[in-house]
Amino acid sequence: MNYIKVKTYEELSKKAAQIIASQIVMKPNCVLGLATGSSPVGTYKELIKMNQNGELDFSTVTSVNLDEYVGLDGTHDQSYRYFMNTNLFDHVNIDKSRTFVPNGCAENLADEGDAYDALIKALGGIDLQLLGIGLDGHIGFNEPDDVFTAATHEVVLDESTIDANARFFASRDDVPRKAITMGMMSIMQAKKILLVANGAAKKDIIEKSLFGPVDPKVPASILQLHPDVTVIYSEE
Ligand code: F6R
């Protein structure tokens, strides 16, 4: 594991964007696994700059996102589809028909999960998966549990996740209680993984995940079993 500690969020974002850009240069038709939340926003801004300066071409990139809230469609301003459009896709030359986010409004979420896993398989798997980490150690929305779940599946969000994400909604009551998330199989089968985390509040969970026992109660600890993980942590 490559663990990079930096001081500022700006440094983190620049380093993460460089790694993603290198992946795209190395394989222009790569499959990027993408994340939402506050952690990757700066990384996406850097990627947008590179694209708009003519340094980076997204035209043959495919993306698959980690997760989506159950019950929010892509027009809802807190849906993860909307987040991806406004924070990245609307500002770069990616073909939106090749950007995928699980459908949180699917009638049958188990079928949607199976279809999402089949899609990732048909794409040849993920070349580089970008991750954030929750305060409870979740990656995607794989919350602490007795087992690691392999497939894309519906989850009930932990109270701590609802608390953490309430900042994005008008009130805590508005935060959806459920989500659909990529499972550990697709995440861990990615050829490379890049996790970004910032702020003092994430320090303990980063250390527990990377250096503590591998335990589904700390979902990100599974990353210790992956052969090519880079973690970038910034203090602020
Ligand atoms: C988002 C996701 C989550 C977030 C995590 C951290 O697609 O999968 O695991 O990465 O909740 O969120 P922030 O970055 O807002 O602290």
Side-chain angles (χ1 to χ4, degrees):
M1 178 173 319
N2 187 13
Y3 183 31
I4 304 170
K5 275 195 203 172
V6 294
K7 280 226 146 42
T8 66
Y9 180 66
E10 194 187 346
E11 281 175 88
L12 173 154
S13 301
K14 287 203 158 103
K15 278 192 195 299
Q18 279 304 344
I19 292 172
I20 296 170
S22 307
Q23 172 65 58
I24 297 173
V25 167
M26 185 169 76
K27 185 177 175 191
N29 63 344
C30 63
V31 177
L32 296 180
L34 297 177
T36 60
S38 56
S39 307
V41 169
T43 305
Y44 294 151
K45 284 199 175 119
E46 293 296 328
L47 290 171
I48 291 168
K49 266 193 241 162
M50 290 179 198
N51 182 250
Q52 294 186 350
N53 290 342
E55 295 161 11
L56 186 64
D57 179 17
F58 280 82
S59 63
T60 53
V61 168
T62 297
S63 71
V64 286
N65 258 79
L66 283 166
D67 40 22
E68 180 60 281
Y69 287 117
V70 168
L72 299 195
D73 72 25
T75 61
H76 191 289
D77 67 2
Q78 289 309 324
S79 72
Y80 285 167
R81 159 56 72 183
Y82 188 93
F83 175 101
M84 288 311 302
N85 287 348
T86 51
N87 283 283
L88 182 66
F89 301 151
D90 286 344
H91 311 289
V92 296
N93 68 332
I94 199 164
D95 174 353
K96 266 207 198 148
S97 69
R98 279 210 302 271
T99 66
F100 300 96
V101 181
N103 177 7
C105 292
E107 239 169 70
N108 185 323
L109 288 165
D111 289 351
E112 171 65 14
D114 291 347
Y116 205 67
D117 287 336
L119 165 76
I120 294 169
K121 200 169 167 200
L123 291 169
I126 297 166
D127 291 296
L128 173 64
Q129 176 67 55
L130 176 64
L131 297 174
I133 185 171
L135 290 171
D136 61 1
H138 69 228
I139 48 176
F141 273 139
N142 292 279
E143 297 283 27
D145 205 344
D146 294 334
V147 289
F148 291 114
T149 302
T152 298
H153 61 289
E154 183 179 355
V155 283
V156 176
L157 297 175
D158 275 13
E159 290 299 315
S160 72
T161 302
I162 294 166
D163 288 342
N165 290 1
R167 69 193 193 276
F168 301 117
F169 290 81
S171 79
R172 191 182 188 279
D173 286 347
D174 292 331
V175 184
R177 268 37 186 176
K178 289 182 178 174
I180 178 168
T181 183
M182 206 187 270
M184 293 302 196
M185 179 182 61
S186 297
I187 294 174
M188 289 296 286
Q189 285 181 357
K191 294 187 186 78
K192 296 186 188 63
I193 294 180
L194 170 61
L195 187 150
V196 290
N198 65 293
K202 294 263 173 91
K203 196 164 185 265
D204 282 354
I205 193 62
I206 282 283
E207 283 174 2
K208 217 166 149 190
S209 302
L210 305 186
F211 307 115
V214 175
D215 180 343
K217 297 271 188 236
V218 183
S221 64
I222 198 172
L223 297 174
Q224 293 180 40
L225 305 181
H226 193 283
D228 191 347
V229 181
T230 298
V231 175
I232 310 179
Y233 171 74
S234 75
E235 289 164 19
E236 44 178 64

